[in-house]
Amino acid sequence: MSGAEVALLLTALAMLALRAAGLVVAGALGPRHWLVQWAAAVSQATLAAFVALAVVVPAGALASVPLAARLAGLA
């Protein structure tokens, strides 16, 4: 498993863990509680950071695709 695959797996697991923790406490706290909003923000920010890194500094086959094409695909 390459470093990028491990990073993606860890990011997905972290996001899922935060979402699961949010579900566990959501009944008691409600969707507007700061802890639930924080967990959602952290998981989304982690995923956004990985996507941005994959687009700007790709590895493997994606590295041969021009930056303009990667940005167009992202849009």
Side-chain angles (χ1 to χ4, degrees):
M1 207 180 250
S2 71
E5 291 170 340
V6 171
L8 178 60
L9 179 62
L10 291 176
T11 301
L13 289 175
M15 182 187 68
L16 289 173
L18 286 172
R19 293 285 180 174
L23 285 174
V24 169
V25 298
L29 300 179
R32 289 290 191 191
H33 192 274
W34 70 269
L35 188 58
V36 174
Q37 290 180 341
W38 175 84
V42 168
S43 65
Q44 291 172 2
T46 303
L47 182 60
F50 180 77
V51 169
L53 186 61
V55 169
V56 175
V57 188
L62 189 58
S64 64
V65 177
L67 177 62
R70 293 191 306 263
L71 292 174
L74 183 62

